[in-house]
Each structure stands twice: as structure tokens, then as C-alpha cells.
Amino acid sequence: MTALVYSENELGKIDGKVTNGLIRHSEKYNIIGVIDSTKRGLDAGECLDGTKNGIPVFGSVDDAIELLDNIPEYFIYGIAPLDPNLNEDQRKVIIRAMKMGMNIVNGLPEFFSEDKEFMQNATKYGVSINDIRKPPARKDLHIFTGKINDIKTPVVTVFGTDCAVGKRTTAVKLVKALKQQGVNAIFISTGQTGLLQGSKYGIAIDVLSSGYSTGEVENAIIQAVEKENPDIIVVEGQGALSHPAFTSSSAIINGAQPNAFIVQHPPKRVHRCDYPKIPMPSIASEIKLIESFSNSRVIAITVNHEDMTDDEVDDVVMAYENEYMLPTADVLKHGCDKLVNILVKLFPSLQQEKEAACQPQK
């Protein structure tokens, strides 16, 4: 399914995290272009990670349609700001995409399917609207049952010290690295971007009440175990346990009952994302809070390299490993070898899967 992603003025920035995630990894949609007039004519991969990936950046919907060979099937709203309300210019862009025949995919908590003007235009132009974060009917939601305690499969969660620090990216890359080693790893999404990327299990939990959030996390893991019989499950974190604006982290801990944590941290970030008056916590304080709340261990630290040089990243990695005695890496720069190694050490059954994958087929 081909898709054009809207990220005006946000490509590569914090509020463009949905777009950034889809540029890096997408199993569900074939991303054929990004809209951001501030980076028109550039390659999206090069803008984001310094490496071209063949996804062009356009200045507008009309610009994209003129230059692409075919009209994309889907138009994904790829911005995730603190304030989810659209301005008039953004509304016009979405209606323009409908007029051009594109189905709309929305990751905001403002549901387009409940917007009279959007629905009228969707009907007029014969397109659909999919609100990724719109929860199922209450009768179809799950409350916590405690069955998670019967699960024998190791569960690891990737948490962080703030929102938009790369928790999902690290989790997705870790799952991919484990699979390459012959380990049957399953990713559980807890946010809209993971679902847009094609995660088979999970739900956007931040639009649910706390009881259902916990139950949906538990249910996603149980479903994955029953259907996939995985060797390990990696759960995406949301926000930060210490962040006063979010309760998602506590719901994930309670629902997943994780055996271990990986914590992602941006060393150069001074204040919380979108909250300039709230200072960032230290990695030490977040680790202490997580371990106290969950009674599980943090087994590794991952670094978000925003505003850092390669030398600074290397220095931080060395300093964290010396201070906290935990394997540390920036997965976008160093890969996931350290994470895979510590997981294999902690969960010996994974080593058996790795060895079995290396055996020649008879």
C-alpha cells in the first residue's frame, strides 16, 4: 500500500516522530514520499539519519502528485504535537489529499471520523478515514486478569526518560536483530507509530482509561504468546515513568509484568519534550524509579544522540558503562549487539535458539 506522509516543518524533529518512524521502518505501508516544504527536494533518509533511502521530500500535496508516477493510496498525518488540534491550513491539506483520491490515516487523538467536514469530504470523494488511535468499543476492550503471571516467555520493555526519545526505534531494531540471530522475537506496540509500521500486536494505550490500558497490554502479550509461541517479547514504552503528564508507563509495567528493562536517554536534552519548565531527570534517577516500581532490573542503557557528535556519543557510552556497569549503545550508530548479548546471557533459552538457527538444514 503506497503512502504519502505529511510532516510540514517537522521532518527529523521531535513532533515529526510518526514520520521519522515510518521513514526508518514500515512493514504495512510503502512510503513513497514525505511532505515538508522546509526540506523540499531532499531525501528523507538523508535528512533524518544522514543516509539516503530513496524517499523524496515534497513541498505540498500538489507538488507530490505532479512528481510521483502514481497517486498514493494513503495520506498519513505524520505529526504528533502536544496540542492535537488542527489549524485551518492543516485541515485544507487533508481535504486536498481526499480530493486527490487518497485515503486518510490519522494518528492524532483528535478523531477525523468524528469531524463532520472531514466525513462529508470523505463521502464526496469516495475515500476512507482510519483513526489509528481510536479505541475499540468498550465491550471489546480487555481489563487486567492476572493471566500475564502465567506467561513463561521473557518480556522486556524499552522505557525512557522522556517521550520522543527513540524507545520504539530501539525496540523495533532489537526485535529485528534478535530475529536475525534465529530468535523468535515479537514486538508489542503501545502507540500509534508502531501500529502504523505494521505491528501485529498492541494498541495505542494513551487514549484508554488506566484499567483498560493495563488490560490491553496484558492481552496483547497473551495473544502474541498463544499465536506465535515466541522466544521473547519486546514491549514498547510510552512517555516516562517519572513524567508527570503521562500514566502510560505505569500501565505498561502493570500489564506486561516485564522481566527486564532497557532505558533510553538523550544526554543533551535539558527539559522535557514540550515542557520547557520541567527539567529532564537523570538516567540514574529513572533507573532507580523503574526498579523500585517494578521489582525488575534495568539491564542496559540506550542513548539518543540528538545534538551530539559521534565523539560525544562514544564518550557517554563509555562513561555510562563505567558508572552503571550496564551495556550501553546508540542503536542507530552501534547496532544492537550489546543488547542481544545481555539478553542471551540473562535468558539462556535464547542461546539455544541462536545455536539451532546456525545448524545446517538436513
Side-chain angles (χ1 to χ4, degrees), residues 144 148 213-215 217-219 221 250-258:
F144 184 77
I148 191 69
S213 296
T214 302
V217 172
E218 178 193 46
N219 181 68
I221 294 172
S250 59
I252 292 169
I253 291 175
N254 289 333
Q257 296 291 304

Side-chain angles (χ1 to χ4, degrees), residues 7-54:
S7 192
E8 179 60 25
N9 198 39
E10 298 297 342
L11 174 59
K13 299 179 182 179
I14 288 175
D15 283 351
K17 63 180 182 179
V18 174
T19 301
N20 302 340
L22 289 168
I23 289 170
R24 289 185 172 123
H25 175 79
S26 180
E27 298 176 13
K28 186 174 183 179
Y29 298 100
N30 175 20
I31 308 302
I32 61 174
V34 172
I35 294 176
D36 184 343
S37 63
T38 66
K39 296 178 175 65
R40 183 181 185 274
L42 301 177
D43 180 278
E46 191 169 30
C47 290
L48 187 60
D49 295 319
T51 303
K52 290 184 178 181
N53 62 4

Side-chain angles (χ1 to χ4, degrees), residues 11 13-14 24 38 42 45 72 78 96 100 138 148 159-160 166 174 189 219 222 231-232 269 300 302 304 328 360:
L11 174 59
K13 299 179 182 179
I14 288 175
R24 289 185 172 123
T38 66
L42 301 177
R96 181 62 176 165
M100 300 303 294
R138 189 170 292 268
I148 191 69
F159 267 34
L174 175 57
S189 176
N219 181 68
I222 290 171
D231 302 314
I232 190 170
R269 191 177 294 186
T302 47
N304 178 318
T328 302

Side-chain angles (χ1 to χ4, degrees), residues 62-84:
D62 289 341
D63 183 29
I65 298 306
E66 180 180 348
L67 295 172
L68 289 170
D69 294 332
N70 298 291
I71 295 176
E73 299 170 79
Y74 293 88
F75 181 88
I76 301 174
Y77 191 86
I79 302 175
L82 181 63
D83 180 1

